């Protein structure tokens, strides 16, 4: 019989840890507050010890402290009967140990007093034996009750889990069926869009706004000439001729003057050819500018003319086409900006360049005048120096005119930039209106197909997830059902006889210890000749545990869910193996 | 379009190149050989008149003309005291281009500059002698090199030769026909056939001047040309008169 100082059953799983009780430290096994509950601090210590045992870092793997005994199967308790009764058995052993200690204590106390007298026969049961017997009887009853209660609790818990897992399975199966419906609808939509055909008369393309090729080339030539005429003088000032070319230009100019009304264009043309470097630079710059403008304008039309949403079947081609032309458009704009910037900064420098030439010519003129003075009355030298003075004066005058022109150009540089921009815009417009394209040879598909395919893929992934979750839930439910069956048929009280035998040994221990302390053979003590058997109640070892009332219904539900899953899985799982159906009843 | 541009360019370049070649035509223009006498025997007024006539002649120069200036006092023996140059002939006769006009103006400016140097009043006082014979010899050489141009020899001089062998300061010292014949026999007289000779600045009013004119008339005949009395004058006011009838 347990008394009030009996320690509480070890419900704390931390027992056995290095911070908790290991069953040998009896002084710490008792509750200090007398309510059979361990103190809060002890609980925390126990939990901390459990945590440390499980996750302790820096532990030495070679330490014998943490080395597990491979033959100790108590560590793999699982979810079976042993897992349920293991702690109860431990509790029983500990309580029995306390009673045995108490028996030893009683034996010592009585032996110290010389009791019971070895030669006096006692009528009735000795008081210590009576106390010990009642405690053993109480301990046996508690053990029986704890075993049944614990087993029944486990069965109920497993039943609840079974119920939950069946619910989850049913939910996943329903979700699987739902995704199948959505997938079918989505597939039908995809098939519908795949079979979608645009009317044959729909043309993806556009014609030229300016239809005349002759007109195009005329305008292109005009633009080029205008750009060239506007910019060539600037380059002519920037890149002057050498003296040989100047003389040649004079001779050619003289020849051109004789052509009367053609003299103007001829002089200009000769001037252009004689300023060949300037001509080349100006021509290349202008041609590049016009070409860039035309190309940029053409690309702009390609960009704005097509829209994937307007021609869904050519969407892929249109997108590819637009990407390419966006690159061309951006490159063209950058090129135009570069050329215009080059021209702008060139014009900004020509005044300084022209002024430097004027300074140089002034120096040359001064030198010629000095030479003329030095020639004195020498007729031969005077003629040459006078001619040189005349030439230098004329060159200076020409360069003064150039400097004035350059200053004017520099002053209206911003206006010229706007003129250049206007001409470039004209070239862009020309390219825009002369562009024609035909993308009828389409390779695209309906734009709605892409999101629908993505949705279908997501639904398939979702279906696989639901199928997997349903399988896991059903597998867990089957395991729980099997466990419940196992627990119901386990007969945990089958070793009740062993427990009683151990409890019977308490009286024998008391007598033996008393005799040993007194130096007597317990058989020679008359009071110990009375039988020491404790009368325990009969136990029906085949007594069955109470079967949960809803267990059969749950098994039927599980069976139904599995059948439903097998049915749905045949059409709802996109890929994968169909689950095998398991009968648990 | 490209073909048109190519053709136009070819024509223009060909025309320009064709016109640029052969800048001077050998048979165009007039050649003027001017002897300038600034010796001390001439007065300042006479030299001013001579300079004015020379400047007028320079102003009348045209494209293709050739001008040679020779200082008389040293007989044209020093290169520094003579100058010859020509104006490039026009590419088309009677149609002067702007460049050609510019070139003519440049030439005239240089010629005026040479004229002002030759008539430098400071140097006039330093020169006391005149070598007319040497000057005529050098003029004959220039006339021969004038490429068959009509050549005019203008002597801006009083025609008084003042060299050691012939001094014309006195009437009796002026050589006669015999002297000319001897020189001709020795082929020491320059050849000026076909050259129009005009004298401006000579003394035609005194007996000595008449004797000098007589001498030079015979002398020029010996050179192969003829100097009419109208071209042997003290002063010519109009440069247009610097010519010979029939030329």
């Amino acid at each position: 019989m347990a008394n009030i100082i009996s320690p509480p059953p070890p419900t704390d799983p931390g027992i056995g840890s290095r911070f908790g009780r290991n069953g040998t430290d009896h002084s710490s096994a008792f509750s200090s507050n007398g309510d059979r509950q361990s103190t809060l601090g002890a609980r925390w210590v126990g939990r901390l010890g459990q945590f440390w045992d499980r996750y302790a870092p820096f532990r030495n793997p070679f330490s014998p402290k943490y080395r597990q005994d491979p033959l100790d199967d108590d560590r793999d308790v699982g979810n079976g009967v042993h897992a349920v009764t293991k702690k109860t058995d431990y509790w029983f052993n500990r309580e029995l140990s306390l009673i045995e200690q108490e028996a030893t204590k009683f034996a010592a106390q009585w032996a110290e007093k010389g009791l019971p007298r070895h030669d006096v026969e006692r009528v009735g049961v000795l008081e210590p034996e009576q106390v010990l017997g009642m405690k053993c009887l109480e301990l046996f009853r508690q053990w029986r009750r704890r075993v049944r209660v614990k087993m029944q609790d486990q069965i109920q818990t497993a039943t609840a889990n079974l119920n939950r897992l069946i619910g989850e399975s049913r939910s996943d199966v329903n979700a699987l069926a739902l995704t199948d419906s959505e997938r079918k609808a989505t597939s039908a939509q995809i098939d519908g869009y795949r079979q979608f055909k645009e009317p044959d008369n729909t043309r993806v393309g556009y014609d030229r706004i300016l239809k005349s090729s002759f007109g195009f080339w005329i305008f292109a030539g005009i633009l080029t000439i205008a750009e060239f005429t506007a910019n060539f003088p600037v380059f002519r000032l920037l890149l002057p001729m050498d003296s040989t070319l100047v003389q040649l230009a004079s001779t050619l100019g003289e020849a051109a003057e004789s052509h009367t009304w053609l003299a103007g264009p001829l002089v200009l043309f000769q001037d252009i050819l004689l300023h060949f470097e300037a001509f080349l630079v100006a021509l290349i710059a202008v041609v590049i500018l016009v070409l860039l403008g035309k190309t940029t304008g053409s690309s702009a039309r390609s960009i704005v003319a097509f829209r994937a949403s307007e021609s869904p079947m050519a969407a892929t081609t249109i997108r590819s086409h637009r990407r390419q032309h966006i690159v061309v458009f951006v490159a063209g704009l950058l090129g135009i900006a570069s050329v215009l910037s080059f021209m702008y900064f060139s014009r900004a420098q020509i005044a300084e360049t022209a002024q430097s030439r004027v300074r140089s010519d002034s120096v040359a003129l001064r030198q010629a005048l000095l030479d003329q003075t030095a020639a004195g009355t020498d007729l031969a030298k005077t003629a040459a120096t006078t001619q040189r003075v005349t030439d230098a004066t004329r060159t200076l005058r020409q360069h003064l005119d150039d400097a004035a022109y350059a200053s004017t150009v520099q002053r209206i540089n911003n206006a010229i930039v706007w003129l250049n921009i206007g001409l470039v815009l004209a070239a862009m417009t020309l390219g825009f209106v002369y562009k024609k394209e035909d993308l009828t040879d389409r390779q695209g598909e309906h734009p709605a197909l892409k999101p629908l395919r993505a949705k279908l893929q997501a639904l398939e992934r979702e279906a696989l997830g639901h199928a997997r979750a349903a399988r896991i839930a059903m597998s867990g439910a089957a395991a729980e059902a099997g466990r419940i069956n196992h627990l119901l048929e386990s007969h945990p009280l089958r070793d009740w006889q062993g427990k009683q035998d151990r409890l019977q040994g308490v009286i024998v221990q008391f007598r033996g210890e008393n005799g040993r302390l007194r130096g007597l053979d317990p058989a020679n003590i008359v009071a110990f000749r009375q039988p020491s058997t404790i009368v325990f109640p009969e136990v029906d070892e085949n007594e069955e545990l109470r079967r949960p009332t809803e267990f059969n219904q749950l098994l039927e539900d599980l069976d139904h869910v599995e059948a439903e899953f097998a049915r749905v899985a045949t059409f709802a799982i996109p890929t994968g193996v169909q689950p095998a159906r398991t009968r648990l009843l | 379009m490209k073909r048109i541009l190519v053709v136009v360019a070819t024509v223009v370049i060909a025309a320009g190149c064709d016109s640029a070649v052969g800048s001077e035509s050998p048979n165009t223009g007039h050649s003027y050989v001017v002897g300038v006498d600034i010796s001390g025997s001439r007065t300042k007024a006479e030299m001013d008149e001579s300079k004015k006539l020379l400047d007028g002649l320079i102003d009348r120069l045209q494209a293709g003309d050739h001008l040679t200036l020779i200082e008389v006092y040293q007989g044209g023996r020093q290169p520094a005291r003579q100058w010859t140059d020509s104006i490039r002939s026009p590419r088309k006769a009677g149609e002067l281009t702007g460049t050609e006009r510019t070139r003519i103006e440049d030439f005239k400016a240089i010629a005026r500059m040479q004229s002002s140097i030759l008539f430098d009043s400071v140097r006039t006082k330093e020169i006391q002698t005149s070598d007319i014979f040497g000057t005529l010899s050098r003029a004959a050489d220039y006339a021969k090199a004038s490429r068959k141009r009509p050549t005019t020899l203008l002597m801006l001089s009083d025609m008084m030769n003042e060299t050691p062998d012939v001094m014309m300061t006195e009437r009796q010292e002026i050589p006669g026909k015999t002297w000319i014949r001897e020189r001709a026999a020795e082929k020491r007289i320059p050849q000026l056939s076909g050259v129009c000779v005009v004298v401006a600045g000579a003394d035609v009013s005194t007996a000595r001047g008449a004797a000098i004119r007589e001498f030079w008339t015979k002398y020029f005949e010996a050179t192969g040309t003829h100097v009419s009395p109208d071209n042997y004058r003290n002063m010519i006011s109009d440069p247009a008169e610097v010519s010979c009838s029939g030329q």
Side-chain angles (χ1 to χ4, degrees), chain A residues 26 65 112 235 426 482 553:
Chain A
H26 308 295
K65 187 174 182 179
E112 188 180 352
F235 289 100
Q553 182 61 41

Side-chain angles (χ1 to χ4, degrees), chain A residues 487-507:
Chain A
L487 292 176
L488 287 173
E489 297 173 0
S490 61
H491 301 292
L493 299 177
R494 193 168 290 168
D495 56 346
W496 65 274
Q497 192 62 52
K499 303 294 183 189
Q500 284 189 2
D501 291 346
R502 287 199 61 189
L503 291 170
Q504 294 289 0
V506 172
I507 302 299

Side-chain angles (χ1 to χ4, degrees), chain A residues 218 225 248 250-260 266 269-270 273 372 376-384 386-387 390-391 394, chain B residues 9 12-13 15-17 19-20 69 79-83 88 91-92 95 97-100 102-103 106 109-110 113-114 117-118 120 123:
Chain A
I218 287 289
I225 292 170
L248 181 59
S250 174
T251 305
L252 291 175
E254 182 182 339
E257 288 173 15
S258 63
H259 289 83
T260 59
L266 287 177
F269 194 71
Q270 289 170 358
L273 292 181
Q372 189 182 33
T377 59
D378 189 326
L379 296 181
K381 289 182 180 176
T382 300
T386 302
Q387 183 64 53
T390 305
D391 292 342
R394 193 171 292 128
Chain B
V12 169
I13 293 172
C17 292
S19 301
L69 300 178
R81 309 313 306 171
Q82 56 189 296
W83 173 74
R88 189 178 293 173
R91 297 180 182 280
K92 283 189 176 181
E95 293 182 8
T97 64
T99 307
E100 287 169 342
T102 303
R103 191 175 295 129
D106 288 352
I110 293 172
M113 176 69 72
Q114 306 291 54
I117 292 172
L118 287 175
D120 184 4
R123 292 180 62 247

Side-chain angles (χ1 to χ4, degrees), chain B residues 25 62 79 100 144 188 231:
Chain B
S25 175
Q62 295 175 353
E100 287 169 342
K144 197 170 185 178
R188 292 173 61 187
N231 286 344

